[in-house]
Amino acid sequence: MTTTNPTSSPGPLEGQGPERAGHMETRGIDQVPADERSGRPRQLFAVWAAPNVSYLSFVVGATLVLTGLTLPQVFGVILVGNLLWICTGIVAASGPAAGTSGSVISRAMYGVVGNKVVLVLTGWLIAAAYLALNWSAASVAGIGLAGRTGLPDNPSVDAAVICLIAGGTLLIAIFGYATIVRLYTALSVVLTVVFVVVTGYVLAHADWSYAPAAPLGGTALAATLGAGFTIIASTPLSYSNSPDLARYLPRDSSPAAIAGWTAFGAYLPSVVFTGVGALAATSLDMSDPEGALESILPGWFIPVFVIAVVVNTMTNNGMTAYSASLSIQSVGVRLARIPAVLIIGVLGTAMTLYAILVFDFLTSVNTMLQLVVVVTGPAMAVAVTDLVMRRNRYNGAALLGQERGGPFWYRRGVHWAGVLALAVGGLVSAMWVNTTFWTGPIARVTESVDLSIPSGMITAAAVYWGTARALRTIPRA
């Protein structure tokens, strides 16, 4: 017997579609009708640029220099690592094809039941961790600004700043898709102007002849390059939710255009501002990124910069919280999208409070960015492989159906090709990962060389392709 999706939010009233900016989006994971789809792929450029005109990029770029790499080596890692935004763009093309969220589309990869287990990990826990990471960056800046205004330096004030930033972020997620598209178009311009001004001051102070005191070579160089690549590439690999921001585009939108505008919108600012962070570290003590950057900025501009950092974080986390709420619905929790946003927000806020009040910020950034790829790398590889094997022919209505015996029920609700690929890819990746928290056995043997991303992604893609072909679970197009 065919059943309806119990977690779908009711559709909007006629003429009151979710494409209207400034109105709360009422649609959840249910399929977007053809008459409510509009826009062009090029609008995705601003949607992805705004969250990636990022203070965190400064931090990551500086980290690469602090590891002992030369500037040419750092710029090479930045250019190559950010190429994985192409994967984010490719996966985004499935949004208009299916007309539903990425967390529903992934039922094609893992099965109706298997997908629920995967989403708890990738859609909830990792999303909450990224919320905490970005909120930590904004909170460090916001707490500093609070101190400049004369507020006392104590945990209560710090907690209040964190909660205010989290609350503003969740408002973006609650208003949803149309507000994100309209708001981020404007913010991408404003944030770019502010960060370009900061860039000017950094370039004026940069040491273009910088060289590390003890240049790396041999295995030590290979290990550091591998770790740097992992840190850079971890961000694009975390965005397998990219179909969520493309699903309102017309079904006949060019997949190449969707992939291109998504990837380029994220790649360009990521490369530029990560590079600026690296240049800052040639003359500034970037172990305290906020203090270092503020030391070269005029006093009147510092509040503008801090506010831009906070706003950028809110744009980044607004997207994350929006997609995480859809993931909660996809798992089967009987909640409308807005309460789901609030749940993921509470979890992320709690993790942020811990990261800021208990843990060291830079340690948190590096450790998390290197560890999450054990899951996000293989998951992205499975998503891209599935899209290629199906030639992006996703049926949204069939994906939303959860009845036994349906096209995505597979065997007892599990698509073993996807589950096996994710598990094996994750295991191989974990054996290569190298962090202060965990060093895999292969990384130990190779003297800390981190190849967690290529090893995990290649393994997952190969296992998925081979197993799906052997089980004949994906029809040949």
Side-chain angles (χ1 to χ4, degrees):
M1 181 178 67
T2 301
T3 60
T4 59
N5 180 10
T7 62
S8 298
S9 298
L13 298 174
E14 186 68 28
Q16 300 291 320
E19 72 280 356
R20 295 183 61 192
H23 292 255
M24 291 187 183
E25 181 184 357
T26 55
R27 170 164 283 111
I29 60 174
D30 46 317
Q31 193 173 25
V32 182
D35 60 357
E36 290 183 11
R37 299 197 191 192
S38 61
R40 297 181 179 180
R42 66 169 178 248
Q43 73 189 35
L44 293 171
F45 178 88
V47 169
W48 287 95
N52 286 288
V53 179
S54 173
Y55 168 70
L56 199 59
S57 294
F58 288 154
V59 174
V60 170
T63 298
L64 296 178
V65 171
L66 294 175
T67 61
L69 296 175
T70 66
L71 282 178
Q73 290 166 348
V74 168
F75 291 140
V77 169
I78 292 170
L79 290 169
V80 174
N82 277 297
L83 286 176
L84 286 176
W85 283 110
I86 294 172
C87 293
T88 310
I90 291 172
V91 173
S94 64
T100 186
S101 70
S103 56
V104 172
I105 295 171
S106 55
R107 290 174 183 171
M109 302 150 211
Y110 305 108
V112 172
V113 176
N115 189 54
K116 296 179 180 182
V117 178
V118 172
L119 287 180
V120 169
L121 180 61
T122 62
W124 292 12
L125 296 180
I126 290 180
Y130 265 99
L131 286 174
L133 176 64
N134 286 295
W135 276 336
S136 297
S139 298
V140 169
I143 290 167
L145 183 60
R148 288 177 176 273
T149 65
L151 291 174
D153 181 12
N154 59 53
S156 297
V157 173
D158 295 353
V161 170
I162 292 170
C163 292
L164 283 173
I165 292 171
T169 302
L170 296 180
L171 277 178
I172 295 174
I174 286 170
F175 276 87
Y177 171 81
T179 297
I180 288 174
V181 171
R182 183 70 61 84
L183 181 64
Y184 285 23
T185 300
L187 288 179
S188 64
V189 176
V190 174
L191 291 171
T192 298
V193 170
V194 174
F195 278 70
V196 165
V197 172
V198 176
T199 298
Y201 283 98
V202 170
L203 296 181
H205 289 79
D207 178 5
W208 293 92
S209 61
Y210 169 84
L216 299 173
T219 305
L221 176 59
T224 306
L225 289 172
F229 174 82
T230 301
I231 291 172
I232 294 293
S234 64
T235 299
L237 291 179
S238 70
Y239 282 108
S240 57
N241 63 332
S242 55
D244 300 353
L245 281 305
R247 63 192 174 124
Y248 281 96
L249 293 175
R251 184 179 176 84
D252 61 356
S253 299
S254 165
I258 293 168
W261 285 113
T262 297
F264 187 53
Y267 181 87
L268 182 61
S270 296
V271 166
V272 170
F273 295 113
T274 307
V276 172
L279 290 171
T282 62
S283 61
L284 303 174
D285 180 11
M286 289 295 282
S287 60
D288 176 15
E290 182 194 1
L293 293 172
E294 289 182 1
S295 71
I296 63 172
L297 297 175
W300 65 267
F301 188 74
I302 290 175
V304 176
F305 170 61
V306 173
I307 292 170
V309 169
V310 172
V311 170
N312 161 255
T313 301
M314 291 169 65
T315 61
N316 198 322
N317 278 358
M319 292 173 58
T320 302
Y322 176 75
S323 292
S325 68
L326 297 174
S327 295
I328 289 176
Q329 289 189 330
S330 300
V331 169
V333 178
R334 293 178 178 273
L335 279 176
R337 191 183 61 81
I338 293 174
V341 168
L342 298 177
I343 287 176
I344 198 70
V346 168
L347 181 57
T349 302
M351 295 175 71
T352 305
L353 290 168
Y354 177 80
I356 290 294
L357 303 179
V358 179
F359 212 16
D360 173 71
F361 175 59
L362 278 180
T363 301
S364 302
V365 170
N366 294 337
T367 301
M368 178 187 156
L369 291 180
Q370 285 183 268
L371 280 177
V372 296
V373 299
V374 171
V375 175
T376 58
M380 181 66 82
V382 169
V384 172
T385 305
D386 186 82
L387 183 145
V388 171
M389 294 180 73
R390 297 180 192 274
R391 298 189 180 182
N392 199 28
R393 295 173 181 173
Y394 292 103
N395 185 320
L399 285 162
L400 284 164
Q402 301 186 66
E403 68 277 7
R404 293 176 180 272
F408 301 105
W409 186 256
Y410 298 111
R411 184 176 179 82
R412 297 182 179 178
V414 178
H415 187 201
W416 289 105
V419 173
L420 186 63
L422 187 62
V424 175
L427 178 62
V428 171
S429 181
M431 295 176 71
W432 278 98
V433 78
N434 174 38
T435 72
T436 55
F437 179 78
W438 162 261
T439 300
I442 298 181
R444 287 198 196 96
V445 171
T446 58
E447 298 184 47
S448 301
V449 174
D450 187 335
L451 294 178
S452 54
I453 288 179
S455 63
M457 293 187 71
I458 292 171
T459 299
V463 170
Y464 188 76
W465 185 287
T467 307
R469 284 285 181 248
L471 297 176
R472 298 181 180 180
T473 49
I474 299 179
R476 292 181 180 272

